[in-house]
Amino acid sequence: MLRPVDRSVETLVVGAGPAGTAAATVLAGAGREVLVVDKATFPRDKCCGDGLTTLALRELERIGFDPGTVSRWQDVDSAWLRSPAGRLIEVPLPDRGLFAAVAPRIDLDAALVDLARSGGAEILDGHGVTGVHRGAGHVDVDIDGVGRVRARTVIAADGMWSTVRKATGLGIDGYRGEWHAFRQYFSGVTGAAATELIVWFEADLLPGYAWSFPLPGGRANVGFGVLRTEGRRTRDMAEIWRDLLTREHVVSALGTGATPEGRHTAWPIPARVDAIELASPGVLFVGDAAAATDVLTGEGIGQALLSGRLAAEAVLAGGGPRAIADRYREEVRSELVADHAMSRRLGRVLAHRRGAEAALRVVAASGEWGRRNFARWMFEDEPRAIALTPSRWHRGMFARAGTFTSTAGADDRALTIGR
């Protein structure tokens, strides 16, 4: 006997992270009925570097997000890069608007949930998906504590090991992601890391890197990310972490009084948007569920927000389930796949010490204009493969202002940089 449907909605979003809330905010803003469910209860922490690229900031601004709703928001006006040989290079960002920031995910994600809810989306956190069943022109989803929900479209924003993906037979057996990362918060930071965003290209981590991202109040998010290979297994991560924290340049950046908060955390990062199935009739995969992370840096918040918005726009464009899936698939490929290929090629250059040194030497010698534009490219102000995709060229693409140029933050400061 078929289980009865407890309620019906136009669009069901599974997962209330950046991808899911972006989709919900766009749909609700267009007057559409949208229900968002997540097994976690917000606010909840999320293992992440907490860095926001220009891509992420532009997507946040596009959906009407106010940085002032995040109390521990930190503007960033430049990045310091350390080569494997110890060369330090500052790459300043342009001084018209915000091009990079750091925000703890526990705060950012909760603020995004509030934004979606205030825009008209219904949010049910603390309710996990237990089953997915396809029908003719609809998808039925069993939700713990809610019952069976019937939706015309399901937007799966439920992470790398997406329950929806597995339930629809599109899971990848044994998949563990392309990157693996470690993170720990530090307090009492008194060195350069208290105010500066630092990226260390350590010879033993290439093409990965270590980072320290500043947060207000003398805190920093410190971690490292490496490509997952047979020669560097997960069990070695804790050893790498302990060794990294003893290196003189890391200790100096943090300051001798810096203290780790709680325990370090680790997470896998999926980065195969070019190969994974992005959609099927009635179901669209976004964010980590679409493996949309940048394969060069492991950054995924911007890609999550972008893919969530594209999913919502595909729904809004109308048509049947197959037409919506095809439209979304085409848009994601147009926006991300060429850049994924470019990032993969660049990653091969940075995989070796000589290549990394040569690349950073070119950046150092490029002058202020060159370093500023490299910073824009590094923080994804324009797509990675913009030079190879003329269809995405636009007027002033290397000269436009940053984000939030007229928005006041929590303390009524203007969110501009170049202070």
Side-chain angles (χ1 to χ4, degrees), residues 22-239:
T25 299
V26 172
L27 288 167
R32 297 297 186 88
E33 179 191 23
V34 55
L35 169 66
V36 183
V37 297
D38 195 299
K39 65 182 179 181
T41 301
F42 289 78
R44 60 96 177 94
D45 193 18
K46 178 75 173 179
C47 296
C48 183
D50 296 339
L52 296 172
T53 62
T54 317
L55 169 63
L57 293 170
R58 291 202 187 281
E59 290 295 326
L60 286 171
E61 186 174 45
R62 188 164 184 163
I63 64 173
F65 183 79
D66 177 9
T69 60
V70 178
S71 62
R72 290 182 288 185
W73 180 282
Q74 179 70 48
D75 295 354
V76 172
D77 58 12
S78 67
W80 286 87
L81 313 179
R82 185 182 190 274
S83 77
R87 177 196 300 265
L88 271 176
I89 306 162
E90 183 184 16
V91 287
L93 285 155
D95 57 4
R96 292 190 303 135
L98 187 65
F99 286 84
V102 183
R105 288 290 298 277
I106 191 172
D107 300 336
L108 176 69
D109 289 12
L112 283 167
V113 167
D114 289 342
L115 176 65
R117 181 181 284 120
S118 66
E122 182 181 0
I123 311 288
L124 297 178
D125 56 349
H127 298 275
V129 169
T130 59
V132 180
H133 314 274
R134 291 180 182 276
H138 65 264
V139 181
D140 289 345
V141 180
D142 297 330
I143 303 170
D144 184 37
V146 176
R148 177 161 291 188
V149 175
R150 175 164 294 177
R152 185 169 183 266
T153 304
V154 172
I155 297 178
D158 51 346
M160 176 176 150
W161 289 301
S162 167
T163 298
V164 177
R165 180 176 287 281
K166 291 178 182 176
T168 52
L170 297 173
I172 304 172
D173 291 339
Y175 183 49
R176 301 173 65 198
E178 279 64 40
W179 282 76
H180 196 82
F182 257 47
R183 177 214 74 181
Q184 189 158 27
Y185 289 112
F186 280 74
S187 57
V189 178
T190 56
T195 57
E196 296 172 357
L197 185 152
I198 306 170
V199 177
W200 296 291
F201 289 98
E202 303 292 292
D204 56 331
L205 300 183
L206 296 175
Y209 58 94
W211 70 77
S212 179
F213 294 167
L215 288 165
R219 299 178 70 241
N221 179 317
V222 185
F224 73 95
V226 292
L227 281 176
R228 187 184 292 279
T229 66
E230 286 301 314
R232 185 188 284 131
R233 297 182 185 277
T234 303
R235 66 172 178 269
D236 300 324
M237 297 295 107
E239 181 180 346

Side-chain angles (χ1 to χ4, degrees), residues 266-347:
W267 73 103
I269 300 174
R272 57 169 65 180
V273 70
D274 60 331
I276 202 167
E277 180 56 68
L278 297 169
S280 64
V283 180
L284 312 179
F285 298 100
V286 298
D288 279 1
T293 302
D294 179 15
V295 73
L296 178 66
T297 65
E299 195 278 329
I301 299 176
Q303 288 80 0
L305 292 163
L306 170 61
S307 60
R309 173 175 63 81
L310 293 177
E313 290 175 352
V315 172
L316 292 175
R322 188 172 299 278
I324 292 172
D326 289 344
R327 184 181 301 114
Y328 171 69
R329 191 183 294 112
E330 180 180 349
E331 287 299 315
V332 172
R333 287 173 176 167
S334 174
E335 290 285 346
L336 293 175
V337 171
D339 306 314
H340 182 89
M342 174 65 79
S343 290
R344 191 178 294 281
R345 286 193 290 269
L346 292 169

